Amino acid sequence: MTPADLSLTVQHAVRRAVDDGALRVEVPPRVKVERARPGGTGEYASSVALSLARPAGRSALDVAGVLKERLQGAPGILAVDITGPGFLNFTLRRDAGGDLVRAIRAAGAAYGHGDALAGTVVRFAEPAEERAGIVTEVVLRLLLGQGADAGFGGDERIHVRGGAYEPGTLGVDAARWALLRAAPHDRVLDGPPLLVQHERNSLFRVRYAHARVRRLLVNGLQLGFAPSYETDIHAPELLGVLGDHPVVLLAAARHRAPDRVARHLEATADALLAFQHTVLPLGGEKPSAAHRSRLALAEAAGTVLAGGLALLGISAPDQI
């Protein structure tokens, strides 16, 4: 992990904290990291918590604690320590990309699921409206995926702004995306644009990115190589969003917010589509360890896209 990669990772942690409501600040356009000074720990340090403390209305130590919680286990980071008045100190790890890809491959579509909400009991009232029913259905899946005891038979309700579910007009996938991509309290997305195969169509980008991964795997086999993460790959955006996936799923479950999953799938798709051009050999170039590793990373992204779409009840086609 380079200092630039670490800076981006810390910035992502700030953004997640803001999205979760844990911090009320503007996300800085850049986070400065530097070599740890005497008295610090690890290789690098950042004073971002000190700079955010005043606008957040909290102590720097509090802000550092919020960010530490979201940085532990991030790709490339072995340990996060807080020193002094609120400095974040980072010990980096080797082969972080390999660890992440192997974790995704081992878990498959269940990557990001866990037991963080074990012992939590949630009972929903039966929804009286179509959009509320679909949102509640997805939230139940998210809660169960985090170990909660969740079901119906209670009085909790997810309050949503009304919106028609139109599978007959839009098809099931576009109809569900229209309801779920918008936050529950927001107006549902306009349906017809979701049927257009264009980059401005967020659903198309997500499903197309998954289809591109499937095609890359086929192309790799045709060129005589398969995915295998063998060497570190410089892809901070893609590694960052894949590493964020478990945190996003947990936050979506806690906040009853399937739209967070949809937005994260968009970010994953965009990072994958920007990365895809580096995966296959060009011209007479022979497949190398770097190509096998990039293909493994792309495959991991496809797994996350498919798993996230499945949580939303939306299909992930191999071809578009």
Side-chain angles (χ1 to χ4, degrees):
M1 173 177 275
T2 67
D5 296 340
L6 180 58
S7 172
L8 193 61
T9 298
V10 178
Q11 184 192 49
H12 283 167
V14 176
R15 183 174 292 112
R16 289 201 305 275
V18 171
D19 288 344
D20 291 348
L23 291 177
R24 295 183 179 276
V25 296
E26 289 196 14
V27 179
R30 181 176 176 275
V31 172
K32 182 179 179 181
V33 297
E34 57 187 359
R35 283 286 181 183
R37 298 177 182 178
T41 59
E43 294 92 354
Y44 291 95
S46 174
S47 61
V48 64
L50 282 76
S51 65
L52 294 178
R54 182 184 293 274
R58 301 171 64 173
S59 73
L61 285 172
D62 283 346
V63 175
V66 169
L67 297 179
K68 177 179 178 179
E69 181 182 346
R70 288 155 179 78
L71 285 163
Q72 288 178 318
I77 297 178
L78 180 63
V80 183
D81 296 292
I82 300 172
T83 60
F87 289 100
L88 289 167
N89 287 251
F90 305 97
T91 302
L92 304 184
R93 64 189 305 167
R94 300 183 183 278
D95 194 29
D99 289 346
L100 177 60
V101 169
R102 285 186 282 274
I104 295 173
R105 173 170 278 188
Y111 170 66
H113 296 202
D115 58 3
L117 299 182
T120 301
V121 178
V122 181
R123 292 291 180 266
F124 291 104
E126 289 290 342
E129 186 263 334
E130 282 185 317
R131 186 183 184 193
I134 289 173
V135 171
T136 303
E137 165 208 322
V138 176
V139 169
L140 276 172
R141 276 202 289 270
L142 289 166
L143 288 165
L144 292 169
Q146 299 302 320
D149 176 1
F152 290 103
D155 56 7
E156 180 174 336
R157 294 183 184 276
I158 299 175
H159 298 287
V160 304
R161 187 170 177 174
Y165 176 52
E166 303 179 277
T169 303
L170 302 176
V172 171
D173 292 330
R176 291 181 70 91
W177 186 265
L179 299 183
L180 296 168
R181 170 57 181 83
H185 57 272
D186 288 340
R187 185 173 63 86
V188 301
L189 299 189
D190 189 18
L194 297 176
L195 301 178
V196 179
Q197 294 193 357
H198 192 279
E199 62 182 10
R200 289 194 298 269
N201 177 354
S202 56
L203 175 60
F204 171 73
R205 289 203 316 278
V206 171
R207 299 172 85 225
Y208 175 70
H210 176 267
R212 280 298 302 143
V213 170
R214 304 311 303 171
R215 190 67 230 169
L216 288 170
L217 291 167
V218 171
N219 291 154
L221 288 175
Q222 291 171 340
L223 292 172
F225 72 102
S228 175
Y229 202 98
E230 301 169 11
T231 185
D232 274 342
I233 298 299
H234 180 75
E237 285 286 354
L238 186 53
L239 286 167
V241 292
L242 296 181
D244 286 349
H245 189 64
V247 178
V248 171
L249 295 188
L250 177 57
R254 280 177 168 160
H255 295 278
R256 318 298 196 247
D259 59 292
R260 295 185 182 218
V261 179
R263 292 200 307 272
H264 182 67
L265 293 179
E266 287 181 37
T268 303
D270 291 343
L272 182 279
L273 292 172
F275 172 77
Q276 61 163 329
H277 308 290
T278 70
V279 173
L280 298 178
L282 299 175
E285 189 180 12
K286 293 185 178 180
S288 66
H291 294 112
R292 292 189 291 273
S293 299
R294 292 184 195 121
L295 186 58
L297 181 53
E299 181 186 45
T303 298
V304 167
L305 290 168
L309 286 170
L311 282 171
L312 300 179
I314 295 172
S315 67
D318 288 352
Q319 295 183 18
I320 290 185

